[in-house]
Amino acid sequence: MCMVSAVCGQTTLVKGIVTDSISGEPLPYASVLLEGTDSGAMTDDNGRFSFSTSRKNTVLEASYLGYDPKKVKISLGKTNNLDIRLVPSGIVLNEVVIKPKREKYRRRDNPAVRFVRKVIDTRDKHAPSNHAYFSYDQYEKIVFAVNDYVPKKKKDGKPGKFDFLADFVDTLEIGTTVLPVSEKEKIQTVYFRKSPKSEKRLVKATQSAGVDEVFSRDGIQQFLDEAFQEVDIFQNNIPLFLQRFVSPLSTIGPAFYKYYLLDTLQVEGKPVVDLGFVPFNSESFGFTGHLFVPLDSTYFVQKAILNVPKDINLNFVSQMTIEQTFERAPDSTRIITKDDIRMNFKLTEKSKGFYAQRLNVYRNQSFEKPDSLHLPVFDESAPVITLDEAYKRDDEYWASHRPEEMKKKNPNSVAKLMAKLRSVPVFYYTEKLISILVSGYIPTDKNPEKNKFDLGPMNSTINGNAIEGARFRVGGGTTPRFHKNWFLEGYAAYGTKDRKMKYDALVEYSFNDRRDFRLEFPMHSLRLEYMYDINKLGQNYMYTSKDNVMLAIRRKKDTRATYLRKGELTYTREHYNGISYGAVIRNFREYATEYAEFNRIHADGSVTPVSHYDMTELELKFRYGKDERFYQTRTQRVPITYDALIFNLSHVMAKKGLLGSTFNYHRTEVGMQKRFWFSAFGYADLILKGGKVWSKVPYPLLIIPNANLTYTIQPEAYTNMNAMEFINDEYLSWDLTYYLNGNLFNRIPLVKKLKWREVFCFRGLWGHLTDKNNPMKNGEGLYAFPAGSTTMGKTPYMEVSVGIENIFKFLRLDYVWRLNYLDNPNIQRRGVRATMRLSF
């Protein structure tokens, strides 16, 4: 060993830690290399590194995404124990170490707090929205890539199926290699008008390619637009990752953040203050970072750098940096020139994860009134207008309009990568399988542009219930490739226990050309549907299919059901301003079963069984839901956020004897839902509904509360109520769910490492049955209630739950208990319910 050492020279041991110079947090997976070589190491999850070398280099360089590289001298032949503190933003600062657990931080008489209050007080003074008109060109690019990707050769030296991936590897500015797997680019011009207030986006070019093509194109764009919004630090709350972060310039900022006047810098020959900030609680939804403000008494923010703390209760995001730059117009208006957000995502702590960047570059800002050619854009009803040629731009167009900082070192595109991957059978069939699992449908043609019919949904193929036994279903529908305006859908189902065939057939004409789905927003259509199927009384699945196999396991037998034969003619119209309305002409016949008998009461009190009744109804519907965001699928619109105020109103009417109606009928329902954000203290979802049946009708036409007989968590359903336990003809209901985002658990040692989040729910229903619809008081012409059904007293039905979400980052468990009507037979007073949902 001595001889080898003599030949190879002295061995130098280098170890230490790399941290953030502001917060003192360790930086995981930072690169630590000897200058000019590839010798070195990566830091671990705790920011620590260690390696030995026999090289003669005496300079060590540490680098990390969003931070300035730093060079440190080392001593050869010795053990070097280093504490390397990297500074964000590319600004050289004197080293400042902040240790929140030891320092004595005071808001009173703190010059940094006084300074930031001045910045907050003047934030709206420089806003471009103060002008009558404002327009600009915007380039947006979103990239997802496999992080720290290093091509590997087979050990036997034989060529592999995916060796071509090496041709698509790109290199970031910090030297990390990545493999881009998804790219989205968009060029648009944004027009703003102050009065009447309006903002329109004219999309001139857009393209996308990547592994996420198995999802809905527009649905993914809606999700990305909501999850990775353009950051406005001059608001109180910053929407990001479907959460709300407290802005460092929020009016509650001084109570949420610690501020530090770090240094005075010279930028373009002018003095600029570097204002650092960190949240009091590093697990809360806040940022660490810097604001750079010129010392000219205007308190104009010239640059902002935001990072998420390492301990933040945020899933999958291991590191994030937001960098924004601003210019000052001659009239002191603030003009953003760049909004750059870079992230590292990890599903597990040990995985390399994914690198993501969303870059917005802004150019050609103007406060002039648009010319006569572009002024009519404000007359368009759609907030986003996409030119017909936007999807057809060639490579030359993109090369000439792409900002310099987004020109890749590797010219190979993700579109070429996907074409190569799909030429490999194992990838091709895996992608098809995932597409089926995600969409629920099987295409009948391999070429999406030629596929005219899909089979599905596959998750409804097999199900079961107490009446039908095992239920088998097959169905499908046409796509816009069959016709952009005409659509056909249907299914056939069979129960092994009742031995009845059920079916549904639908034909719809859309007045708007459809691109991907029949239910695309905005809808303007006329639909005719005819069906015969089982009708589960008091069970309405509002956010999933009634035949979803995941709902087959139930806590109680669902025998409360009839058979329904129904025909509907529906007109639907949706507008971009959030207003939608529709009309339905409905004719149906409902058949009694042994589980839900129709025993008609006569004047003398005698009872006669009735096999069925008939109704022909007219339903009028109105809805307001401005700025809703949802992920569009073929059969559903899955809400991305409930921020928008949603209002619903409907009225159903029928006249006895008209087109076969057995009864006169009038029913009115109204509803409202809204999400309320409490900044650093989480958010609450509130759903209010009310309704009344004005006519004297039998129980199937009354109001039957929505009971949840499954073990899953279902919004707008009563967890511990039995189906048809209560029957009313007027009601008022509420569903209040409060998400604390870990505000309690984040303060408990050890528990906070689990990143659990608290959920509290309180829901209830006040219901009343008037004497005219009570078969026990005024029974003539009504049907006797089935055994086990009852009415409410003066007290509303109530239940509460306490839950923990984000268990293993996807599981939510609620413990639910019923507060009253505890003497009703065969009820469940308390129980555990679960649901699965991935969230940031």
Side-chain angles (χ1 to χ4, degrees):
M1 290 179 62
C2 292
M3 292 174 63
V4 171
S5 177
V7 173
C8 296
Q10 294 177 312
T11 299
T12 303
L13 177 63
V14 184
K15 61 180 181 178
I17 185 171
V18 180
T19 59
D20 183 299
S21 65
I22 300 299
S23 64
E25 295 178 350
L27 300 179
Y29 309 108
S31 175
V32 184
L33 302 174
L34 293 174
E35 187 179 31
T37 74
D38 57 358
S39 295
M42 299 284 286
T43 60
D44 61 15
D45 289 343
N46 299 313
R48 296 193 172 276
F49 66 92
S50 177
F51 70 94
S52 59
T53 180
S54 59
R55 292 179 180 267
K56 300 298 184 180
N57 304 66
T58 60
V59 177
L60 187 73
E61 184 173 14
S63 60
Y64 193 67
L65 177 64
Y67 290 76
D68 269 352
K70 185 171 183 178
K71 296 180 180 180
V72 180
K73 286 189 175 183
I74 61 173
S75 301
L76 296 178
K78 297 181 179 179
T79 298
N80 296 263
N81 200 342
L82 306 175
D83 183 2
I84 304 175
R85 299 165 187 172
L86 297 185
V87 178
S89 83
I91 304 296
V92 178
L93 306 176
N94 293 329
E95 288 189 350
V96 177
V97 181
I98 299 167
K99 298 180 179 179
K101 294 182 179 179
R102 300 179 184 177
E103 67 168 336
K104 293 182 179 180
Y105 180 88
R106 296 182 58 185
R107 288 197 293 268
R108 178 176 292 184
D109 300 326
N110 187 331
V113 174
R114 289 198 301 267
F115 186 85
V116 78
R117 288 189 188 278
K118 293 287 187 180
V119 179
I120 295 171
D121 291 342
T122 59
R123 65 181 187 178
D124 296 331
K125 179 180 177 181
H126 306 295
S129 57
N130 294 331
H131 290 262
Y133 291 93
F134 179 42
S135 64
Y136 55 89
D137 293 331
Q138 178 183 355
Y139 169 86
E140 178 187 79
K141 184 167 186 177
I142 300 176
V143 177
F144 288 91
V146 178
N147 206 8
D148 197 20
Y149 181 80
V150 179
K152 293 182 179 180
K153 297 289 184 180
K154 282 191 171 183
K155 293 181 179 179
D156 57 11
K158 295 181 180 180
K161 295 179 180 179
F162 298 99
D163 286 350
F164 60 83
L165 293 178
D167 299 332
F168 295 87
V169 172
D170 207 351
T171 305
L172 303 178
E173 293 86 342
I174 61 172
T176 302
T177 56
V178 296
L179 177 66
V181 293
S182 175
E183 284 183 343
K184 303 178 189 302
E185 287 185 289
K186 183 165 57 178
I187 295 173
Q188 61 184 351
T189 300
V190 181
Y191 297 92
F192 171 82
R193 183 180 64 191
K194 185 176 182 179
S195 182
K197 188 175 182 180
S198 179
E199 182 177 285
K200 303 292 181 180
R201 295 176 179 265
L202 181 63
V203 179
K204 299 177 178 178
T206 179
Q207 66 176 1
S208 64
V211 294
D212 54 354
E213 290 176 333
V214 296
F215 298 95
S216 160
R217 177 177 59 184
D218 289 345
I220 284 292
Q221 190 60 52
Q222 284 271 22
F223 175 81
L224 293 176
D225 288 345
E226 191 66 24
F228 308 121
Q229 290 190 34
E230 297 176 60
V231 173
D232 185 357
I233 64 171
F234 302 95
Q235 295 179 335
N236 288 330
N237 297 312
I238 297 176
L240 199 61
F241 304 120
L242 304 182
Q243 299 286 351
R244 291 296 184 273
F245 288 71
V246 179
S247 169
L249 294 180
S250 168
T251 52
I252 69 165
F256 186 85
Y257 285 100
K258 300 177 183 180
Y259 296 94
Y260 303 90
L261 294 173
L262 297 177
D263 204 353
T264 302
L265 315 169
Q266 291 292 322
V267 178
E268 297 180 356
K270 298 180 180 179
V272 174
V273 166
D274 178 8
L275 180 69
F277 52 88
V278 294
F280 279 95
N281 185 344
S282 62
E283 290 86 6
S284 58
F285 286 92
F287 300 98
T288 64
H290 306 257
L291 297 174
F292 301 98
V293 184
L295 284 171
D296 56 6
S297 75
T298 62
Y299 299 99
F300 181 94
V301 177
Q302 192 170 13
K303 187 175 183 179
I305 301 208
L306 290 77
N307 307 289
V308 291
K310 182 178 182 296
D311 297 330
I312 190 171
N313 192 342
L314 189 68
N315 292 331
F316 313 122
V317 181
S318 63
Q319 190 272 332
M320 183 190 73
T321 297
I322 301 173
E323 181 178 337
Q324 293 186 330
T325 57
F326 304 90
E327 291 181 356
R328 189 171 359 185
D331 63 352
S332 293
T333 299
R334 176 180 62 248
I335 296 175
I336 186 171
T337 58
K338 185 173 73 170
D339 176 24
D340 189 5
I341 174 171
R342 304 186 183 211
M343 298 157 279
N344 284 329
F345 291 102
K346 288 186 179 182
L347 294 177
T348 63
E349 289 297 328
K350 295 183 179 180
S351 66
K352 293 181 179 179
F354 288 86
Y355 165 81
Q357 180 183 17
R358 193 225 58 209
L359 172 68
N360 284 301
V361 177
Y362 308 89
R363 297 176 290 193
N364 303 323
Q365 291 87 351
S366 173
F367 300 109
E368 300 296 327
K369 183 178 180 180
D371 56 33
S372 57
L373 181 64
H374 296 98
L375 188 60
V377 73
F378 291 111
D379 298 328
E380 297 284 341
S381 58
V384 179
I385 304 101
T386 303
L387 299 180
D388 292 337
E389 60 270 23
Y391 292 97
K392 305 173 184 177
R393 302 295 189 183
D394 56 22
D395 292 342
E396 184 178 346
Y397 178 91
W398 285 104
S400 61
H401 289 78
R402 190 176 287 126
E404 189 64 32
E405 58 251 62
M406 286 311 294
K407 292 182 178 179
K408 301 192 305 177
K409 298 177 182 179
N410 190 332
N412 286 332
S413 66
V414 172
K416 294 179 181 179
L417 170 65
M418 295 306 299
K420 285 234 177 193
L421 285 171
R422 287 170 181 149
S423 67
V424 181
V426 65
F427 180 87
Y428 174 83
Y429 289 108
T430 301
E431 184 185 34
K432 291 297 181 185
L433 177 61
I434 294 174
S435 178
I436 293 171
L437 294 175
V438 170
S439 68
Y441 286 83
I442 300 176
T444 55
D445 195 296
K446 294 181 179 180
N447 186 349
E449 297 302 320
K450 296 181 179 180
N451 180 50
K452 297 181 179 181
F453 190 86
D454 289 334
L455 294 170
M458 303 313 295
N459 62 3
S460 299
T461 303
I462 302 176
N463 204 303
N465 56 70
I467 295 178
E468 294 179 283
R471 175 182 169 104
F472 298 93
R473 170 175 153 167
V474 60
T478 62
T479 74
R481 260 59 67 187
F482 170 79
H483 200 282
K484 291 184 177 180
N485 305 97
W486 286 101
F487 294 88
L488 303 172
E489 287 189 8
Y491 68 80
Y494 181 79
T496 58
K497 185 176 181 181
D498 67 353
R499 299 184 179 180
K500 289 181 180 289
M501 182 66 71
K502 297 91 179 175
Y503 51 83
D504 183 283
L506 176 153
V507 56
E508 179 171 316
Y509 177 78
S510 173
F511 296 96
N512 304 327
D513 290 349
R514 305 286 82 182
R515 187 172 57 201
D516 294 314
F517 304 113
R518 176 175 64 86
L519 300 179
E520 280 177 8
F521 180 86
M523 288 181 62
H524 185 200
S525 66
L526 192 64
R527 185 181 79 234
L528 179 63
E529 184 176 8
Y530 187 77
M531 59 84 70
Y532 173 71
D533 208 338
I534 192 171
N535 179 34
K536 297 178 181 179
L537 300 174
Q539 295 180 71
N540 299 311
Y541 300 105
M542 311 182 72
Y543 297 94
T544 186
S545 167
K546 66 178 181 180
D547 289 333
N548 192 324
V549 68
M550 300 301 294
L551 303 179
I553 302 175
R554 303 172 186 274
R555 63 179 176 86
K556 193 176 183 64
K557 285 188 176 182
D558 52 343
T559 56
R560 299 303 187 110
T562 60
Y563 289 96
L564 188 67
R565 189 182 302 278
K566 180 174 65 176
E568 287 185 341
L569 179 63
T570 305
Y571 173 77
T572 303
R573 182 69 189 270
E574 296 177 328
H575 296 273
Y576 287 105
N577 59 8
I579 293 176
S580 63
Y581 45 84
V584 184
I585 299 175
R586 180 185 302 114
N587 176 271
F588 68 88
R589 172 174 287 185
E590 188 164 16
Y591 298 89
T593 66
E594 60 179 299
Y595 310 104
E597 297 178 330
F598 298 166
N599 295 318
R600 185 166 185 171
I601 302 172
H602 299 284
D604 60 0
S606 61
V607 174
T608 302
V610 176
S611 63
H612 67 270
Y613 71 94
D614 299 304
M615 293 293 289
T616 299
E617 303 173 339
L618 172 64
E619 181 177 6
L620 302 176
K621 299 184 288 186
F622 174 84
R623 189 174 194 272
Y624 178 78
K626 185 174 173 56
D627 298 327
E628 281 187 272
R629 298 289 184 268
F630 47 80
Y631 174 79
Q632 177 75 63
T633 70
R634 179 176 181 135
T635 58
Q636 280 186 293
R637 293 175 176 178
V638 181
I640 296 174
T641 174
Y642 296 93
D643 291 353
L645 172 64
I646 298 174
F647 175 81
N648 289 283
L649 175 65
S650 68
H651 183 75
V652 182
M653 64 190 82
K655 184 172 178 59
K656 183 177 181 180
L658 180 63
L659 299 177
S661 289
T662 307
F663 307 100
N664 290 315
Y665 189 51
H666 285 275
R667 172 173 173 162
T668 304
E669 288 191 275
V670 62
M672 184 275 290
Q673 68 182 67
K674 181 76 172 71
R675 173 167 290 177
F676 299 91
W677 288 92
F678 305 120
S679 193
F681 307 103
Y683 60 93
D685 288 340
L686 175 64
I687 302 174
L688 295 174
K689 287 188 175 181
K692 182 175 177 64
V693 175
W694 307 89
S695 316
K696 180 179 179 179
V697 289
Y699 75 83
L701 294 173
L702 295 179
I703 296 167
I704 304 175
N706 190 16
N708 177 13
L709 301 187
T710 72
Y711 290 100
T712 64
I713 299 170
Q714 296 286 337
E716 301 185 57
Y718 299 98
T719 305
N720 288 354
M721 183 187 289
N722 293 339
M724 293 189 67
E725 181 179 349
F726 300 103
I727 299 178
N728 315 294
D729 61 7
E730 52 188 15
Y731 80 99
L732 177 65
S733 68
W734 68 91
D735 190 327
L736 177 63
T737 307
Y738 182 28
Y739 301 83
L740 268 73
N741 276 346
N743 272 291
L744 299 180
F745 288 143
N746 288 345
R747 289 165 170 77
I748 303 176
L750 299 181
V751 174
K752 67 181 182 180
K753 293 184 178 181
L754 299 173
K755 295 190 175 181
W756 288 351
R757 301 170 186 169
E758 317 84 352
V759 185
F760 299 96
C761 185
F762 176 43
R763 62 173 65 94
L765 179 140
W766 173 87
H768 179 249
L769 184 68
T770 58
D771 290 347
K772 68 176 182 292
N773 282 317
N774 192 335
M776 302 298 294
K777 294 184 178 181
N778 185 18
E780 184 180 1
L782 301 179
Y783 299 163
F785 284 177
S789 295
T790 183
T791 60
M792 288 187 182
K794 295 183 180 180
T795 305
Y797 170 88
M798 295 177 289
E799 60 185 30
V800 296
S801 66
V802 177
I804 301 174
E805 66 171 354
N806 208 41
I807 302 172
F808 308 121
K809 299 184 179 180
F810 72 91
L811 180 64
R812 171 181 163 186
L813 292 177
D814 281 11
Y815 183 76
V816 189
W817 65 93
R818 177 169 167 157
L819 296 182
N820 53 0
Y821 296 100
L822 303 180
D823 296 329
N824 285 5
N826 301 318
I827 64 168
Q828 186 180 62
R829 297 190 176 190
R830 53 183 60 86
V832 177
R833 303 292 181 266
T835 190
M836 292 184 292
R837 185 188 69 169
L838 287 174
S839 63
F840 288 106

